Amino acid sequence: MHYNIYEALNLSVDFYKSYSTYESYRKKVTDKVLDLIKRENVESLCFFGVGNGCDMDYFKIMNQDVVMTLTDIDRKAMERAIHFVGIEPDEVRLAAFDYLGDCSDLISGLAKRLEKLDKEDGGLMAYHASIGQFYKGLMKKIENMDYRAYIQEDQDLVILLPIYTQILFVELVSKLSHIKRFGDIQDVLLQHMIGVIDRFNYSLVKVIKPEGYLFVLSDIVEIHPEDELFGQYRREVGEPAISGQDIMQTDSITQEVKKRIEDYETQYGLGLGSYGLLNLEEYMAKREEDYYFWQFDEKRAFLVKGLVYHKQG
């Protein structure tokens, strides 16, 4: 990941509007974290992928008498987030670092090689070879990453916010979309991401205590206003009061979210968000599964799968 790309993304978001739009989603995922803290006697927890901080109530979590660490590549975004909710800098630990290490030179080198192939009208296999060379160098770099160098101690609970679909690939698209054959090589770029996500998960799990827990949220399917589920959700969360019937309707939305995700994966296979969750089962035992509807803005919403894993020593 590269600071300029992700800082620009964070700055492009209307923070106050997003904080309001995310309210229902934020309450549900925060309640899940609070439940885990109480149920598992959590004393220390760490968040990965905090960004602008709109999708979790960090003030409410901090008041549970826990040692809380927030991590992201963008320190300024995290500082804005805690300031907005009234958390003093000395009440929380902030660790800003790139989860894959600084790979900007590798990405620039790949872009130059592919641009050269464009000029030479190179064959597709030459593009594939360049991409393979890039990922080989990248894997050597990220194998040396140890998140414990940035986080002061191993954690009882780690919360991974929805970033599987953003790790590296967002920057690759940004830097390579001008390549003439980008449409032909996009699937190859995605296939290589499997190794990157596996290594990221490996490093993530290492900061969890032997009997600790991991709660992961992953965006799986994007939907838009013309989808009936989008409109149905908006109508229900907009009600001023929740009756028994409303709760039943909300439960029906949860079932519809689950079905949509299953149908999507049946038709298109596992995307990066789904693969990241599945790969974690190589390292931890899956314990719980939930589904969430995350309205991102007026034009987009995401169907999110949330899983709890237990390290079990």
Side-chain angles (χ1 to χ4, degrees):
M1 293 187 285
H2 189 266
Y3 283 89
N4 291 341
I5 296 294
Y6 293 92
E7 286 183 1
L9 286 173
N10 285 330
L11 288 172
S12 70
V13 174
D14 184 329
F15 176 83
Y16 298 101
K17 187 174 182 180
S18 293
Y19 202 85
S20 175
T21 303
Y22 296 2
E23 182 176 359
S24 178
Y25 172 77
R26 181 172 60 251
K27 182 180 185 306
K28 286 181 171 62
V29 295
T30 299
D31 285 347
K32 182 67 176 183
V33 173
L34 294 175
D35 176 63
L36 285 168
I37 290 172
K38 295 172 183 176
R39 182 159 34 107
E40 307 303 337
N41 298 314
V42 169
E43 296 180 354
S44 63
L45 74 164
C46 179
F47 290 85
F48 279 73
V50 170
N52 283 318
C54 296
D55 49 351
M56 191 70 63
D57 190 335
Y58 295 105
F59 186 81
K60 186 178 288 186
I61 293 168
M62 185 194 67
N63 285 333
Q64 302 304 306
D65 193 26
V66 293
V67 177
M68 186 168 71
T69 303
L70 309 184
T71 79
D72 194 86
I73 191 172
D74 188 347
R75 174 177 289 274
K76 291 179 181 177
M78 290 193 291
E79 289 174 345
R80 288 193 299 267
I82 65 170
H83 175 75
F84 175 75
V85 297
I87 296 176
E88 297 296 329
D90 60 353
E91 294 179 303
V92 62
R93 297 173 178 175
L94 297 183
F97 61 98
D98 192 321
Y99 300 143
L100 301 183
D102 183 3
C103 53
S104 55
D105 289 345
L106 288 171
I107 295 175
S108 296
L110 174 62
K112 290 177 182 178
R113 289 194 297 273
L114 297 185
E115 288 166 358
K116 185 173 184 291
L117 288 172
D118 273 355
K119 293 178 181 178
E120 298 171 349
D121 290 325
L124 193 56
M125 292 304 297
Y127 286 82
H128 289 183
S130 291
I131 292 169
Q133 180 183 350
F134 161 74
Y135 275 104
K136 185 176 180 179
L138 176 66
M139 291 304 293
K140 286 183 179 179
K141 180 180 286 288
I142 64 177
E143 282 174 1
N144 296 321
M145 286 295 295
D146 187 345
Y147 300 158
R148 291 172 298 185
Y150 303 93
I151 300 169
Q152 296 182 27
E153 58 190 18
D154 289 349
Q155 305 291 308
D156 294 320
L157 172 64
V158 167
I159 300 95
L160 177 64
L161 299 166
I163 62 171
Y164 282 128
T165 54
Q166 299 179 43
I167 292 176
L168 182 64
F169 197 70
V170 167
E171 186 171 1
L172 289 178
V173 171
S174 172
K175 296 294 179 63
L176 302 177
S177 59
H178 67 286
I179 299 298
K180 288 191 295 187
R181 302 205 67 170
F182 183 74
D184 297 325
I185 64 174
Q186 192 168 359
D187 284 346
V188 177
L189 290 167
L190 280 168
Q191 289 167 14
H192 280 285
M193 284 297 300
I194 289 173
V196 174
I197 288 177
D198 175 69
R199 184 64 202 188
F200 169 74
N201 281 345
Y202 174 79
S203 299
L204 186 73
V205 170
K206 284 178 70 175
V207 305
I208 304 172
K209 290 180 180 179
E211 296 292 335
Y213 289 84
L214 172 64
F215 176 41
V216 184
L217 293 155
S218 186
D219 50 310
I220 308 297
V221 181
E222 181 176 335
I223 63 172
H224 300 92
E226 60 270 19
D227 191 301
E228 171 59 25
L229 181 59
F230 192 102
Q232 183 183 0
Y233 173 81
R234 287 285 299 277
R235 287 193 298 273
E236 293 198 14
V237 299
E239 292 296 325
I242 298 179
S243 65
Q245 181 63 28
D246 290 325
I247 292 172
M248 290 179 64
Q249 291 171 349
T250 304
D251 288 343
S252 72
I253 286 184
T254 300
Q255 293 304 313
E256 178 62 20
V257 167
K258 179 177 180 180
K259 182 178 183 300
R260 289 290 185 90
I261 292 174
E262 291 173 347
D263 290 346
Y264 179 88
E265 292 178 349
T266 298
Q267 182 173 357
Y268 298 105
L270 294 182
L272 295 179
S274 296
Y275 177 76
L277 296 174
L278 181 63
N279 175 258
L280 279 169
E281 295 182 37
E282 297 290 326
Y283 304 107
M284 302 181 75
K286 184 171 73 172
R287 292 284 295 271
E288 301 169 31
E289 183 174 297
D290 293 294
Y291 296 86
Y292 305 92
F293 187 102
W294 178 18
Q295 184 179 335
F296 193 77
D297 54 33
E298 292 297 319
K299 298 180 179 179
R300 287 180 297 164
F302 293 97
L303 307 184
V304 175
K305 184 181 289 188
L307 293 178
V308 176
Y309 302 84
H310 187 203
K311 202 167 186 180
Q312 296 182 325

